[in-house]
Structure formats: structure tokens, C-alpha cells
Amino acid sequence: MPHPLLTMENVSYRYDDQSDEVLRGLNFQMQPGEFVCVLGPSGVGKSTWLNLLAGYEQVSSGKLSFKGKEITGPSWERGVIFQRHTLYPWLTVGENIAFGLEARKDRPEQIKERVDYLLENIGLSDYQDSYIFKLSGGMQQRVQLARSLAPQPELILMDEPFSALDALTRLDMQRFVRKTWQREETSIFMITHDIDEALTLATRLIVIPVGDSSQLVEFSLDYTKCILAGQTAKEYVDKNYLTIKDQIYHYLSVEA
């Protein structure tokens, strides 16, 4: 059994001494190569959880570690993708992707090789010298994913990255992320409100029930691998899929 990529031991978080705990007694481990999706009603602390993993916030109590070391701040080893892109409008597509590598002072030839590789794999080689405002929403999210992947992080953190996209573009981005996860052999931790999105992307799905963030409910899944193997919805949406979906609805709508 490999060492966990992420470990949370009895983690709690509150904004200040006067506020209630946003997260309480959270215990969690994530192994390398997993695709974890987190579902939960608004206000249960999903984005706070992601911000702790990213190093943007610090735990109030408990222990949070990445590869056995305490998380004390952001790191290129943990890429972050938000709901709306955070690309730099004054830079071209290629310059946005290269930004982190240049900040890390990688060699120019290494940067060019990595940027060219990512542009080809996101299907935007012809847009390398274009500015962000000329791209569609789906294309912008592809660039944001490429920028996060450029330093070859071991973990990608996604905070509802497709919620602002139309339905067809969202499905296209789900397929793209699934294939990217397989090709890059990275690990992904993703927050979503879409149950079907979670079921068809995650290898492990975590539900935060209404009322208690410490009582996580987990499901091990293989639908994303079925899809990568070429199965259609008619083939992989089985009785078990529908049963899990009903259980998730229950946990998200009924007080414990």
C-alpha cells in the first residue's frame, strides 16, 4: 500500500475565535492516482476544505499533511482550478501556460517543450499567441487546466470548475478532464454539485451530509474507467448506479 498523498486527522476550521466551526473533526486520506469528488449542500465547508488542501487557509486544529509533510502554504505540487478562470488577460495562451514554469526558473527549452505538449493535448496549438478574451468559456477552462498541469503537480484541486459552462461544453470538459487524468497519471480532488458528474468522474465519491461535516459518506466507483474503456451510458448506468444516486439524494436532503 503506497503512502497517502493527503492526510487529514481530526481537522477543524473556524474563521476566528468568535465564529462557529465551518469544518469539524474531519478525517480523510487520499492515495496517489485517485480521482476524488466531493458533494455536499451549500454552506457545509466544501470550498473551505479545498482551500485548506491548497494551503490558502490554515487549520484551526488537527493535522493536515501532503506526502507526510504539514501543509503550511500554497505549492506548485498542488495545482488549483477555480469556478471561473484566473488566467492573466494581458498574456497570451502560451504565456499563461508557461507562467508557473518561468516563475520556477525552468530552462527555456524545457518550458517550450512542456507548453507545446500541453497545447497539443488541449487542442489549442493554433491559439498559442491568442489572448484569453478571444476564447470561449470551455477553451478558457482548458487553458486553466493546462496552466495547472504545466509544473506537473502531483495533485490538482478543482472547485466546481464547470459550473459556469453550458451543458454541452460541460460534458466536453468532463471528457477532457477524464482523459487528462488518465494520460497525466495525476491525482484530482474536485468539488461539484452535480451528482452525475461526480458519479462519472470519481474513483471515490465523498458526500458531506446535511448537518455534520465530520460524518463523511464514501462510495468507491469505477464508472469513469468504464467510460474510458469505451462504454456508453446505456451500458454503465446500471441498477447500482441508480441506487447510489438515490442514496446521495437522501444524504444531501435529509438531516442526520
Side-chain angles (χ1 to χ4, degrees), residues 5-40:
L5 187 66
L6 282 169
T7 301
M8 305 182 78
E9 298 178 19
N10 204 32
V11 166
S12 297
Y13 175 83
R14 65 176 72 210
Y15 295 114
D16 53 51
D17 292 340
Q18 282 72 47
S19 64
D20 293 332
E21 289 176 319
V22 180
L23 294 172
R24 181 178 70 253
L26 193 58
N27 291 285
F28 169 75
Q29 282 193 346
M30 181 174 178
Q31 300 297 330
E34 284 194 291
F35 196 137
V36 174
C37 283
V38 176
L39 285 166

Side-chain angles (χ1 to χ4, degrees), residues 155-227:
L155 176 64
I156 297 289
L157 303 166
M158 296 182 169
D159 192 355
E160 297 190 64
F162 313 139
S163 61
L165 303 177
D166 64 82
L168 291 177
T169 303
R170 184 168 187 152
L171 286 172
D172 182 59
M173 284 301 300
Q174 290 169 8
R175 286 191 291 267
F176 176 71
V177 166
R178 186 183 294 112
K179 290 179 179 179
T180 300
W181 166 71
Q182 181 188 50
R183 182 177 60 246
E184 294 283 323
E185 298 182 335
T186 188
S187 306
I188 296 179
F189 179 97
M190 177 176 166
I191 292 171
T192 178
H193 275 104
D194 188 311
I195 295 175
D196 286 300
E197 181 170 82
L199 285 168
T200 57
L201 284 176
T203 57
R204 181 155 59 115
L205 192 160
I206 296 176
V207 180
I208 306 177
V210 173
D212 191 351
S213 63
S214 67
Q215 300 300 313
L216 303 179
V217 181
E218 298 193 18
F219 300 90
S220 294
L221 306 171
D222 63 1
Y223 297 109
T224 193
K225 295 179 181 178
C226 292
I227 296 169

Side-chain angles (χ1 to χ4, degrees), residues 143-154:
V143 176
Q144 179 159 243
L145 179 58
R147 187 177 70 177
S148 295
L149 288 169
Q152 296 180 285
E154 294 188 51

